Amino acid sequence: MATQTDPEPVAEDATGKAAAVRDSLSECDGVLVAFSGGVDSSVVAALAHEALGDDAVACTAKSETLPAAELDDARRVAAEIGIRHEIVEFSELDNPDFVENDGDRCYHCRTMRLGRMYEAARELGIGTVCDGTNASDPGEGHRPGLRAVEELDVRSPLLEAGIGKEEVREIADAFDLSVADKPSMACLSSRIPTGLEVTTERLSRVEKAERVLREWGFSQFRVRDHDGLARIEIASEELEAALNHDFAVAVREHLADLGFEHVTLDLHGYQTGSVSPSDGGDEAEGDSEASGSDDDEPLVEDVFSAEYPTASE
């Protein structure tokens, strides 16, 4: 009499999950990966390239909200992986709902961005579009961009395999990817408080302001644009360096030249989503870091309207 054999145990470690993603992708005729060059989309691209070779394509959407430095990084990481890299262009500013910058800004952005990915996939004869959403993302607060992923039927291989953020970095390290420890980088529009219109001028001055901080050696930071006031957030472990007098003088002068009337350093340090709705966080470029995996923070719109306590006389 035949005995029932136990099913093969499901691999729970990151290596086993990565193998499951690779096997799943190998069943596709071709895959286009929405590629920001962040750690999540880079892992998907590396696994897709390993599974499909030349039938895997990484695609980066260039727009006003993508810093030039991030586009350069995407090119570099795609070359590092060895995957074919395509760049398409579009403008979120063509959509008045995005420009309005309400609580669904990321939904409008992601819908346009992924729609452009599907156009590119059709042109290349590819039927499957993937993104870098990982298993940690759905529980990260207000994430309207994920709604666009679901509506457009984009595959999220990391999410499907139950691969969370820490495991993504572990897999990236196993592939020896240079972005394994790259900090999260949400799109430039996330620096503009909800309710304040997204404009080319604001996006440009934020990008140039953050370039100044990058040149000074900071790695995790944001420059929030409060309609003329620049609020600089720097990670707590780097905050002491930001108190350097020479840096303070230089950053004030540079940001004043960019059109900021006031320049401040937020002593709370870097806080994700600190200009987004109270149940929200930054979202980024077709990627979870680039979809931002950013936590809930209080709404900060007009810092001048706040009532501050004063010492009694």
Side-chain angles (χ1 to χ4, degrees):
M1 177 178 174
T3 58
Q4 181 177 354
T5 58
D6 292 330
E8 289 294 322
V10 177
E12 294 294 338
D13 62 301
T15 301
K17 291 178 182 180
V21 170
R22 184 175 58 249
D23 292 344
S24 176
L25 293 176
S26 69
E27 298 175 2
C28 301
D29 292 333
V31 165
L32 183 141
V33 180
F35 184 72
S36 72
V39 63
D40 295 317
S41 63
S42 294
V43 164
V44 175
L47 290 168
H49 178 62
E50 193 172 72
L52 296 168
D54 293 341
D55 290 328
V57 176
C59 187
T60 302
K62 177 183 177 182
S63 72
E64 298 92 340
T65 66
L66 178 66
E70 291 299 300
L71 180 58
D72 290 342
D73 252 10
R75 289 191 177 103
R76 179 185 58 77
V77 178
E80 186 179 298
I81 293 169
I83 193 171
R84 175 180 174 182
H85 187 211
E86 297 288 333
I87 296 174
V88 296
E89 297 190 31
F90 81 112
S91 176
E92 292 103 335
L93 301 183
D94 290 340
N95 185 340
D97 292 326
F98 175 86
V99 172
E100 184 182 351
N101 194 17
D102 63 10
D104 281 337
R105 182 198 69 234
C106 292
Y107 169 76
H108 303 307
C109 170
R110 191 71 71 85
T111 298
M112 295 177 70
R113 186 174 299 276
L114 290 174
R116 189 68 185 89
M117 294 292 168
Y118 270 108
E119 290 176 9
R122 282 194 296 269
E123 292 168 4
L124 294 169
I126 294 173
T128 302
V129 173
C130 295
D131 81 339
T133 302
N134 67 61
S136 300
D137 290 333
E140 292 286 351
H142 182 66
R143 301 295 300 279
L146 294 183
R147 190 166 88 246
V149 173
E150 295 172 359
E151 290 177 357
L152 291 171
D153 201 25
V154 176
R155 280 197 61 181
S156 301
L158 302 177
L159 177 60
E160 292 170 9
I163 298 175
K165 191 68 175 185
E166 291 307 311
E167 291 174 311
V168 171
R169 294 195 183 279
E170 184 180 335
I171 296 167
D173 190 56
F175 272 104
D176 200 25
L177 296 179
S178 60
V179 292
D181 296 319
K182 183 179 180 179
S184 298
M185 180 55 69
C187 78
L188 291 172
S189 60
S190 67
R191 279 61 153 179
I192 301 172
T194 302
L196 188 63
E197 281 195 354
V198 180
T199 65
T200 302
E201 177 187 7
R202 286 175 178 141
L203 293 171
S204 177
R205 70 181 178 188
V206 164
E207 179 178 7
K208 291 174 181 176
E210 293 194 346
R211 188 181 304 153
V212 173
L213 271 70
R214 192 171 293 107
E215 289 172 352
W216 273 82
F218 295 101
S219 61
Q220 185 70 79
F221 55 82
R222 298 285 189 267
V223 177
R224 311 289 187 183
D225 187 340
H226 294 271
D227 198 20
L229 181 146
R231 180 167 58 89
I232 300 171
E233 298 179 358
I234 295 178
S236 57
E237 61 269 20
E238 300 181 274
L239 196 54
E240 184 176 352
L243 300 175
N244 175 282
H245 175 73
D246 292 339
F247 167 73
V249 171
V251 76
R252 184 178 68 240
E253 292 178 352
H254 280 295
L255 269 60
D257 289 342
L258 294 176
F260 286 104
E261 298 173 12
H262 304 276
V263 180
T264 68
L265 177 65
D266 194 326
L267 297 182
H268 281 100
Y270 169 63
Q271 299 181 72
T272 58
S274 65
V275 293
S276 300
S278 59
D279 61 341
D282 295 350
E283 291 203 61
E285 306 294 322
D287 214 270
S288 45
E289 59 275 313
S291 281
S293 289
D294 282 349
D295 302 324
D296 300 350
E297 294 295 341
L299 174 65
V300 181
E301 288 189 353
D302 184 358
V303 294
F304 292 111
S305 68
E307 294 184 4
Y308 296 98
T310 58
S312 57
E313 295 183 1

